[in-house]
Amino acid sequence: MRGFLPAWALALRVVGLTFRAQLEYRGEFWMRVALGLAWQTSIIVFATVLLGRFPGMGGWSSDAVLMIAAVRMLGHAFYEVFFGRVGELAVLVQEGRFDAFLLRPLPVYRQVQLSAFPSNALGDLLVGGSLFAWAVWSIELEWAPWQIAYIVAALVGGMLVEAAVFTALSSLHLHFPSAITWSYWTEELMTTFGNYPLKILPGVISGAFTFVVPLAFVAYFPVAVLTGNTAGLGVPVAVAAAAPLIGLAAFAGSRVLWNWSLTRYTGVNG
Amino acid sequence: MTILAVPSGWRTGAITAVTEWHSPSRMTAAGLRLAVHLFLVVCLWHALYAGTTVSAGLTEAQAVTYAVLAVLIVRPRANDRYSARDTVIQHINFGTIVYWFLRPLPARRYYFFRAAGDQVYGLAWALAGYLVCLAAGVLDPPPSAGAALAFAATFALGQAVTYYLLLLTDQLCFWTIKNSSAVDIMMFTQNLLSGAYAALWFFPGWFQALSAALPFQATINVPLSFYVGRLPLSELPGQLALQGFWVLLLAALTRFLWTRAAGRVVAQGG
């Protein structure tokens, strides 16, 4: 505990410096904010269009489907705030900047996260937060204390599942920077298929999105538990309800994998 | 363009294809990703149409055909030139952009050959995917020879529009120093407004009117609407004229920017 607060104080100072550094490129800064807005807005437009044209997906009401999209997108915004720089790891490795992290007296993973200010996350938060507020206002739930606590846990869990997936993939980038295309592809899959009840897809696909790329744990399972749409989940309800805990376990596992991969890091030139 | 420029142009255009050809693991991974993505998209659209037969004037077969073709047309953008350190932004950051302006091959011509080579290589993948999907009965052929010809003509012009839009974003970094966000924003905007996520017929009227005033729909929605028979052939002259207008406008604008960009090049150290 003695070192915890100074570590956070130092991290906040570095965040402040990276923020000032980004403001040196004012146009790029505002474009990164706009990037978050454009990214999230494009997903919202796509999702709402499909919801309007094809109501009642898999027996879910439109409000419940909207809640899936809202939880996923706000969880993604939190991921961008706290963990999004793992997506830039391939660039850091390829340009040799990563090697300097190994010489500094700070955990390497933390240095990766502090390497740039997440200005795009500002746009993500704005749109994700707005959609979440709209979904909460629209859905017919009593919002008992346990439901409020569970939705907060679900958002944190969704953030951790996404962080686990991309941290695990970035452990590959430490050795093969060009493997970043797998991360882009995985992100595209999560964006395209993460906003709907996965039960509308064939069993083999929803199973893959549960056990291979754990997309179901990001928003689908928690919202299913919250809204009572627990038929046809493909896993016991208790497992679906434990999605936030599974997210925490997955992230811890991905960090173990990342640290192991780091011990074998040799740089892009061998 | 001199006769000598053609062989060097061919060699420049073939860089991406040759690079990929010498990396079987990357090619295998690219094929795998494309196959899985196509399969998932087909599953999603069949699932969406489970409760209806026609939506936005598109039958299930038309919608699936459109969605598969959209994935294939977007495929050229999946080329990874970043790992080869040959993107405009990388050259500007590393200072090597100056060599583009010192070679016997003019910078804008080098860019054209390189980008055209990338597009042809990506379209070779798209053609292979198309033939496999057609043979497997995943998508339908065009309803008539006229529709096929209309598709071919509008598709060719759409590729020209795509080339100029990507060139425009690359040229931007001569002024902004950084342009990764601009490229990403352009990608999302293009995907949304071109009809890559979903045919524009599914979107509300105001959105279609907005798309009609921008060049993006010329790249995907127009050619694919002719392919699936959603646009009548009587619309062809008007659409060709509109696409031609965008090609000419973007060609003039980007040519003007090339002349200005040369004056913005700064060798390392100023």
Side-chain angles (χ1 to χ4, degrees):
Chain A
M1 189 66 191
R2 189 183 299 168
F4 182 78
L5 289 178
W8 269 99
L10 179 63
L12 286 175
R13 282 186 67 189
V14 176
V15 168
L17 287 171
T18 54
F19 178 66
R20 284 171 58 191
Q22 284 218 349
L23 286 181
E24 285 297 307
Y25 299 94
R26 200 64 61 95
E28 171 71 4
F29 174 80
W30 286 112
M31 260 192 222
R32 283 187 69 79
V33 175
L35 170 64
L37 285 169
W39 166 250
Q40 298 278 45
T41 305
S42 67
I43 298 166
I44 289 177
V45 170
F46 177 57
T48 49
V49 162
L50 289 192
L51 275 175
R53 291 283 179 186
F54 305 98
M57 281 185 205
W60 285 52
S61 69
S62 293
D63 295 341
V65 178
L66 187 69
M67 182 57 89
I68 295 180
V71 170
R72 199 201 69 77
M73 290 174 69
L74 191 54
H76 172 75
F78 290 148
Y79 158 77
E80 285 291 342
V81 170
F82 293 105
F83 301 103
R85 266 61 56 209
V86 284
E88 302 293 322
L89 185 62
V91 178
L92 295 173
V93 169
Q94 196 184 38
E95 294 181 357
R97 286 189 282 158
F98 181 78
D99 295 28
F101 295 171
L102 304 173
L103 304 174
R104 297 174 188 155
L106 259 186
V108 177
Y109 190 84
R110 193 182 305 165
Q111 288 187 68
V112 171
Q113 298 305 337
L114 294 174
S115 61
F117 182 80
S119 39
N120 59 312
L122 299 177
D124 287 319
L125 277 173
L126 188 64
V127 180
S130 303
L131 184 68
F132 184 73
W134 179 26
V136 167
W137 180 76
S138 303
I139 200 164
E140 288 184 16
L141 277 180
E142 292 176 2
W143 291 114
W146 78 266
Q147 289 171 315
I148 294 171
Y150 187 74
I151 197 77
V152 171
L155 288 169
V156 175
M159 171 188 75
L160 290 173
V161 171
E162 195 166 346
V165 169
F166 291 106
T167 298
L169 282 169
S170 75
S171 63
L172 198 62
H173 302 164
L174 284 170
H175 308 280
F176 309 104
S178 63
I180 195 168
T181 49
W182 285 98
S183 293
Y184 292 151
W185 182 62
T186 306
E187 189 170 11
E188 193 178 347
L189 286 184
M190 294 180 82
T191 303
T192 308
F193 298 96
N195 303 318
Y196 317 107
L198 292 174
K199 65 184 286 191
I200 67 169
L201 297 170
V204 65
I205 303 295
S206 56
F209 279 138
T210 303
F211 301 109
V212 182
V213 179
L215 179 59
F217 293 93
V218 174
Y220 173 48
F221 284 164
V223 175
V225 172
L226 201 63
T227 56
N229 287 298
T230 50
L233 291 180
V235 296
V237 176
V239 173
L245 288 176
I246 290 170
L248 182 62
F251 179 66
S254 72
R255 282 302 314 277
V256 171
L257 176 67
W258 200 88
N259 288 342
W260 176 81
S261 183
L262 182 64
T263 61
R264 279 147 183 81
Y265 175 72
T266 56
V268 283
N269 293 320
Chain B
M1 187 186 302
T2 64
I3 292 173
L4 284 175
V6 175
S8 61
W10 275 111
R11 283 197 294 273
T12 306
I15 289 174
T16 296
V18 172
T19 305
E20 295 286 310
W21 182 254
H22 284 92
S23 180
S25 59
R26 280 167 60 120
M27 287 196 71
T28 308
L32 180 69
R33 284 197 298 267
L34 183 61
V36 171
H37 206 101
L38 286 171
F39 179 63
L40 291 173
V41 163
V42 169
C43 289
L44 176 65
W45 282 95
H46 278 306
L48 289 173
Y49 268 87
T52 184
T53 52
V54 179
S55 181
L58 290 167
T59 63
E60 181 176 353
Q62 284 176 310
V64 171
T65 298
Y66 183 105
V68 168
L69 288 173
V71 170
L72 292 172
I73 289 181
V74 172
R75 169 62 185 78
R77 287 185 229 157
N79 290 330
D80 178 22
R81 212 198 284 179
Y82 201 93
S83 297
R85 306 184 195 194
D86 197 25
T87 61
V88 173
I89 187 63
Q90 283 172 305
H91 283 299
I92 286 189
N93 284 341
F94 300 151
T96 46
I97 193 71
V98 69
Y99 297 121
W100 283 30
F101 293 87
L102 296 176
R103 293 170 181 156
L105 191 66
R108 64 184 170 82
R109 206 162 288 165
Y110 172 78
Y111 184 95
F112 169 75
F113 286 129
R114 194 80 170 82
D118 280 10
Q119 265 178 280
V120 170
Y121 173 72
L123 290 174
W125 272 101
L127 180 63
Y130 172 78
L131 293 174
V132 169
C133 289
L134 195 62
V138 173
L139 51 74
D140 291 338
S144 66
L149 286 172
F151 163 74
T154 51
F155 176 72
L157 281 173
Q159 287 298 297
V161 173
T162 301
Y163 165 76
Y164 284 119
L165 288 171
L166 294 175
L167 169 58
L168 201 58
T169 50
D170 275 338
Q171 286 178 324
L172 184 67
C173 61
F174 283 95
W175 280 267
T176 61
I177 307 299
K178 281 177 167 284
N179 84 331
S180 55
S181 301
V183 171
D184 287 342
I185 289 172
M186 177 67 86
M187 190 180 73
F188 301 142
T189 308
Q190 190 169 347
N191 282 344
L192 187 65
L193 294 171
S194 67
Y197 291 141
L200 294 180
W201 305 105
F202 290 109
F203 289 76
W206 65 266
F207 191 91
Q208 292 183 37
L210 175 69
S211 301
L214 295 167
F216 305 108
Q217 68 155 346
T219 62
I220 293 179
N221 194 63
V222 170
L224 292 192
S225 295
F226 279 117
Y227 183 99
V228 299
R230 181 64 177 79
L231 262 180
L233 291 178
S234 58
E235 296 271 345
L236 182 60
Q239 293 295 343
L240 285 176
L242 191 58
Q243 285 182 308
F245 164 76
W246 283 118
V247 169
L248 289 175
L249 182 70
L250 291 168
L253 177 62
T254 52
R255 192 176 176 91
F256 169 74
L257 290 177
W258 268 128
T259 61
R260 296 290 173 149
R264 300 281 306 180
V265 173
V266 179
Q268 294 283 23

